[in-house]
Amino acid sequence: MKNKLLMTPGPTTVPNRVLKKMSEAVIHHRSGEYCNLFAEMNEKIKYVFQTENPVLTFPAAGTGGLEAAIVNMFSKGDKVLAVSAGVFGERFIKIAKIYGLEVDVIKVPWGNAVKVEQIKDNLKDDHKAIIVTHNETSTAAVNPIKEIGAFMKDKKQLFIVDGVSSIGGIEAKMDDWNIDVLITASQKALMTPPGLTFIGVSDKAWEVVEKSTLPKNYFDFKNARAYLEKPMPQNPYTPAVTLIAAANEALRMIEEEGLYNVYARHEKFAQMFRDESVKMGLKLYANKNCLSNTVTGIVFNEDNKASYIKKRMEEEFNIIIAGGQEHLKGKMIRIGHMGCVNESMIDRTVKALQKCC
Amino acid sequence: MKNKLLMTPGPTTVPNRVLKKMSEAVIHHRSGEYCNLFAEMNEKIKYVFQTENPVLTFPAAGTGGLEAAIVNMFSKGDKVLAVSAGVFGERFIKIAKIYGLEVDVIKVPWGNAVKVEQIKDNLKDDHKAIIVTHNETSTAAVNPIKEIGAFMKDKKQLFIVDGVSSIGGIEAKMDDWNIDVLITASQKALMTPPGLTFIGVSDKAWEVVEKSTLPKNYFDFKNARAYLEKPMPQNPYTPAVTLIAAANEALRMIEEEGLYNVYARHEKFAQMFRDESVKMGLKLYANKNCLSNTVTGIVFNEDNKASYIKKRMEEEFNIIIAGGQEHLKGKMIRIGHMGCVNESMIDRTVKALQKCC
């Protein structure tokens, strides 16, 4: 049997160059060697975020990053407008509510994207922010962050974006698109094992941080920034040095390929995978006007068909794909094609799918 | 020049067997392969904690683990008694205060351990818990957790212990010593790169979790336990799978050697290092009745002597040691001898120190 092939929407396949970094001897987080590494990684992650602002790094899952955004930007009782178009939109809303925020929700039918008009129609004067998932991993649909960002220009509200499964795979220009807080994680398009979350914070958001009264320590943005901006950049608490070395190597690869070439590669292989799926009579879940270039969702009418395919893909072809979430459990398969995706990976997945479907 | 030797009190040298695991292909966190791995790791971490209760794992630094203990055990306004004997005792207190706890503090002079009598004298009926650092990494002094635990038997208050730089290196019997919440991290005596925190929670503490009203999501104990106790144990959010695989390998090594042999090895090499240090006329910082077996602090009267030694150790001998913290900056060196410490590491460090001091 061929090597295991990880085609899930995170964690994703980690390139050998990056894996090699993972097995290097651990370095001390207060040493010059670490500070130089962290400085390099910080510049490279800013490039991928397309921002001049600092991007903070915490050892945590992406969900920790979402929580970090809430506790640093808000106070109890603050009102926000949030888009729910799937599991991850709902997760951000749940976290906001846990911290006492009042959340007005724009419910978008699963598989669809929010329309800018819906934001326009629902944004109220007393909202402190809008919260949108860029790429909704559960439905494989992409929200129009660029257009929403254009509308948000000069608005007093913050524009907060969950970019966990988009950043590094789907275009997102943090500064040009007026994004104030942009969150991602290491294990998706950034081709690094899980365990790091990255959070970009705009000047406008830094002003808001000052007003937040929610308690925080581990995820305290001001503290993280103070350490980041030392002459030798560091972290307040022991960072996951090995993952930072790995992330730096992955970011080097993105830089070498060129960010827009990386986006183009994602688009090409997503398109190829979708075309092949449709050719074999499969039904894409997401609406055709918002298809994701990092993950594809395929839906089945027959109960448990999806679970059967997922199982066969693993057992017969050694290819790991994901199933559906919530009400789509057993009815959907999700194939990740992000990070170090290439033609042979798509080809092998398509050929196996042809035999399983 | 010889290979770099990491003799800091965390992160520590990671054995090759564990580093090798770090470079293995990433596995999916909802796959049977991961669940089996996580199940094995959970049994092994319980062995090291010497507990029958579940030990929770989060991708985070140890400081995140301290915060997790606070937000899951308490509500705003709760009163606790905490020991401050150095930087890490202070850190726990700071986090408790950030979350609105009222903290009565037993201040112990740096380099000393708290006395059980001080706990007895200061514990009040309205305290919900006592918080003690097991091994105070900043001073290299150990608090008498066993004796405090004996006193805490049948008390209504929780016994919360920061075991970040002790667990796996210095004896701590969570169940027998009546510890209710025990926190550690991967990068100290557990011989794994940084990025994971482990938290043991007693039955008594689980009852208290139900009453806590502090907001939490990422560090939610109940949620983590619900996933841990699935037929196939998992995590609520994407775990740092690679670090879990590494931790599992390190825990296998501890199991193979035998936990009490590991403690004995730590004691032997700590004693050897201290003896050699005293022989060369150096002054141990901690009181002789509470010397740590995972870290040694050496103090100098001359300003900047410590910084000079630390620099020479690195530049001439490629040995990384730590300096002093807070008012001991520039006056102290701290040498970690925990995890995969062996005779040749101690020997090389001693020989280099002889030339630098």
Side-chain angles (χ1 to χ4, degrees):
Chain A
M1 194 142 66
K2 281 187 180 174
N3 277 347
K4 190 179 299 264
L5 178 59
L6 191 59
M7 294 297 285
T8 58
T12 62
T13 299
V14 174
N16 285 334
R17 242 177 95 172
V18 178
L19 283 178
K20 218 171 141 235
K21 285 282 160 191
M22 291 290 287
S23 62
E24 288 186 0
V26 169
I27 58 177
H28 194 256
H29 61 294
R30 302 290 178 220
S31 67
E33 191 178 358
Y34 174 74
C35 297
N36 289 333
L37 162 69
F38 190 47
E40 183 184 342
M41 196 215 73
N42 280 311
E43 283 313 304
K44 289 188 170 24
I45 192 80
K46 282 163 69 175
Y47 164 67
V48 173
F49 273 58
Q50 301 191 58
T51 183
E52 297 296 321
N53 277 297
V55 176
L56 308 175
T57 303
F58 297 95
T63 300
L66 305 186
E67 184 161 335
I70 297 293
V71 299
N72 280 280
M73 291 301 144
F74 300 107
S75 304
K76 203 175 162 177
D78 277 354
K79 227 170 144 176
V80 298
L81 179 65
V83 173
S84 163
V87 168
F88 294 92
E90 276 302 314
R91 182 175 293 178
F92 217 153
I93 290 165
K94 183 187 157 205
I95 298 168
K97 286 181 176 171
I98 284 172
Y99 282 93
L101 272 63
E102 279 186 51
V103 188
D104 288 335
V105 178
I106 301 177
K107 269 259 188 216
V108 176
W110 280 39
N112 289 278
V114 71
K115 292 188 179 69
V116 183
E117 289 67 36
Q118 291 176 281
I119 306 279
K120 285 186 197 174
D121 292 347
N122 287 280
L123 187 65
K124 289 185 190 143
D125 192 61
D126 62 349
H127 287 139
K128 302 264 185 187
I130 65 167
I131 298 177
V132 187
T133 315
H134 188 188
N135 183 70
E136 178 51 75
T137 324
S138 64
T139 66
V142 181
N143 282 310
I145 297 303
K146 182 181 179 179
E147 290 71 21
I148 298 171
F151 165 70
M152 290 305 289
K153 188 172 161 68
D154 301 326
K155 295 277 182 302
K156 64 177 180 181
Q157 287 92 347
L158 293 177
F159 182 26
I160 300 181
V161 175
D162 167 355
V164 170
S165 63
S166 66
I167 298 305
I170 302 174
E171 188 185 28
K173 299 174 86 140
M174 185 173 177
D175 291 355
D176 287 357
W177 297 1
N178 308 305
I179 300 170
D180 295 303
V181 183
L182 180 59
I183 304 117
T184 196
S186 51
Q187 81 279 10
K188 306 269 182 179
L190 297 183
M191 307 186 291
T192 302
L196 293 180
T197 184
F198 304 103
I199 309 170
V201 186
S202 75
D203 286 336
K204 182 171 150 190
W206 280 113
E207 283 173 33
V208 175
V209 164
E210 296 296 330
K211 296 174 201 153
S212 162
T213 60
L214 281 170
K216 59 246 167 197
N217 182 69
Y218 185 66
F219 289 125
D220 188 319
F221 282 3
K222 279 163 74 177
N223 202 12
R225 185 182 190 168
Y227 274 79
L228 180 61
E229 292 182 346
K230 281 177 188 249
M232 297 294 274
Q234 299 174 44
N235 316 75
Y237 313 116
T238 313
V241 289
T242 315
L243 291 172
I244 298 223
N248 189 48
E249 192 65 19
L251 291 166
R252 278 179 188 163
M253 290 175 72
I254 291 176
E255 197 176 68
E256 287 164 18
E257 186 175 352
L259 187 56
Y260 276 78
N261 294 329
V262 171
Y263 295 151
R265 176 169 52 78
H266 277 78
E267 190 177 354
K268 176 180 161 186
F269 292 124
Q271 190 61 52
M272 184 183 292
F273 182 74
R274 289 189 299 251
D275 288 348
E276 293 294 335
S277 300
V278 171
K279 249 192 250 172
M280 65 179 102
L282 298 177
K283 193 181 164 202
L284 305 183
Y285 181 72
N287 196 304
K288 65 179 188 301
N289 63 15
C290 59
L291 293 164
S292 165
N293 285 337
T294 56
V295 55
T296 294
I298 295 169
V299 71
F300 299 90
N301 295 323
E302 310 93 304
D303 267 353
N304 297 318
K305 179 82 187 274
S307 310
Y308 164 81
I309 293 170
K310 181 170 172 285
K311 197 162 178 273
R312 274 194 68 189
M313 289 288 283
E314 175 166 3
E315 290 174 0
E316 285 178 43
F317 299 95
N318 216 8
I319 299 174
I320 313 295
I321 62 173
Q325 293 175 289
E326 305 287 339
H327 64 275
L328 293 172
K329 221 166 192 159
K331 290 188 181 352
M332 190 192 206
I333 54 172
R334 291 177 302 143
I335 290 91
H337 31 73
M338 63 179 110
C340 74
V341 64
N342 60 37
E343 184 154 0
S344 81
M345 287 160 73
I346 296 291
D347 200 50
R348 188 176 150 196
T349 307
V350 166
K351 287 202 171 106
L353 261 185
Q354 281 165 340
K355 286 180 181 141
C356 294
C357 289
Chain B
M1 191 141 69
K2 281 186 179 176
N3 278 345
K4 189 179 300 266
L5 178 59
L6 191 59
M7 294 296 285
T8 58
T12 63
T13 297
V14 175
N16 284 334
R17 240 177 95 172
V18 178
L19 283 178
K20 219 173 140 232
K21 285 280 161 192
M22 292 289 288
S23 63
E24 287 185 1
V26 169
I27 59 177
H28 193 255
H29 61 295
R30 302 289 178 221
S31 68
E33 190 178 359
Y34 174 74
C35 297
N36 289 333
L37 162 70
F38 191 47
E40 183 184 342
M41 196 217 72
N42 280 310
E43 284 314 303
K44 289 189 168 26
I45 191 81
K46 282 163 68 175
Y47 163 69
V48 173
F49 272 57
Q50 301 192 57
T51 183
E52 296 296 321
N53 277 298
V55 176
L56 308 175
T57 303
F58 296 94
T63 300
L66 306 185
E67 184 161 335
I70 297 293
V71 298
N72 280 280
M73 292 299 146
F74 301 107
S75 303
K76 202 174 163 179
D78 277 353
K79 229 171 139 173
V80 298
L81 178 65
V83 172
S84 163
V87 168
F88 293 93
E90 277 301 315
R91 182 176 292 179
F92 217 153
I93 290 165
K94 184 187 156 205
I95 297 169
K97 287 181 175 171
I98 282 172
Y99 282 93
L101 273 64
E102 279 186 51
V103 189
D104 288 335
V105 177
I106 302 176
K107 270 260 187 213
V108 176
W110 280 40
N112 289 276
V114 69
K115 291 186 180 69
V116 184
E117 289 66 36
Q118 291 175 281
I119 306 280
K120 285 185 196 175
D121 293 347
N122 287 281
L123 187 65
K124 289 184 190 145
D125 192 60
D126 62 348
H127 286 139
K128 302 264 185 188
I130 64 167
I131 298 177
V132 187
T133 314
H134 189 189
N135 184 71
E136 179 50 76
T137 323
S138 64
T139 66
V142 181
N143 283 310
I145 297 302
K146 182 181 181 179
E147 290 72 20
I148 298 171
F151 165 70
M152 290 304 289
K153 189 174 160 67
D154 301 328
K155 294 277 183 302
K156 65 176 181 183
Q157 287 92 349
L158 294 177
F159 182 26
I160 301 181
V161 175
D162 167 357
V164 170
S165 62
S166 67
I167 298 306
I170 303 173
E171 189 185 28
K173 299 174 85 137
M174 184 172 177
D175 290 356
D176 287 357
W177 296 1
N178 308 305
I179 300 171
D180 294 304
V181 183
L182 179 59
I183 305 116
T184 196
S186 52
Q187 80 279 10
K188 307 270 181 177
L190 298 183
M191 308 186 291
T192 302
L196 294 179
T197 184
F198 304 104
I199 310 171
V201 185
S202 75
D203 286 336
K204 182 172 151 189
W206 279 113
E207 284 173 33
V208 175
V209 164
E210 295 297 330
K211 297 175 201 151
S212 162
T213 61
L214 281 171
K216 58 249 169 195
N217 182 68
Y218 185 66
F219 289 125
D220 188 318
F221 282 3
K222 280 164 72 177
N223 202 12
R225 185 182 190 168
Y227 274 79
L228 179 62
E229 292 183 345
K230 281 178 188 247
M232 297 294 273
Q234 298 174 45
N235 316 75
Y237 313 116
T238 312
V241 290
T242 315
L243 291 172
I244 301 245
N248 189 48
E249 192 66 19
L251 291 166
R252 278 179 187 163
M253 291 176 71
I254 290 176
E255 196 174 69
E256 288 164 16
E257 185 175 354
L259 187 56
Y260 276 77
N261 294 328
V262 171
Y263 294 152
R265 176 169 51 79
H266 277 79
E267 191 177 354
K268 176 180 159 186
F269 292 123
Q271 191 60 54
M272 183 183 293
F273 182 74
R274 289 189 298 252
D275 288 349
E276 293 294 334
S277 299
V278 171
K279 250 192 249 172
M280 66 178 104
L282 298 177
K283 192 182 165 203
L284 305 183
Y285 181 72
N287 195 305
K288 66 179 185 304
N289 63 14
C290 58
L291 293 164
S292 166
N293 284 338
T294 56
V295 54
T296 294
I298 295 168
V299 70
F300 299 89
N301 295 324
E302 310 92 304
D303 268 353
N304 298 319
K305 179 82 186 273
S307 310
Y308 164 81
I309 293 171
K310 180 170 172 286
K311 196 161 179 272
R312 274 194 67 189
M313 288 289 281
E314 175 167 1
E315 290 174 1
E316 285 177 43
F317 299 94
N318 215 8
I319 300 174
I320 313 296
I321 61 174
Q325 293 176 289
E326 304 288 337
H327 65 275
L328 293 171
K329 219 166 193 159
K331 289 186 176 5
M332 190 192 206
I333 55 172
R334 290 177 303 142
I335 289 91
H337 32 71
M338 63 179 112
C340 74
V341 63
N342 60 36
E343 185 155 359
S344 80
M345 286 161 72
I346 296 291
D347 200 52
R348 188 176 149 195
T349 307
V350 166
K351 287 204 170 105
L353 261 185
Q354 282 166 340
K355 286 182 181 139
C356 293
C357 290

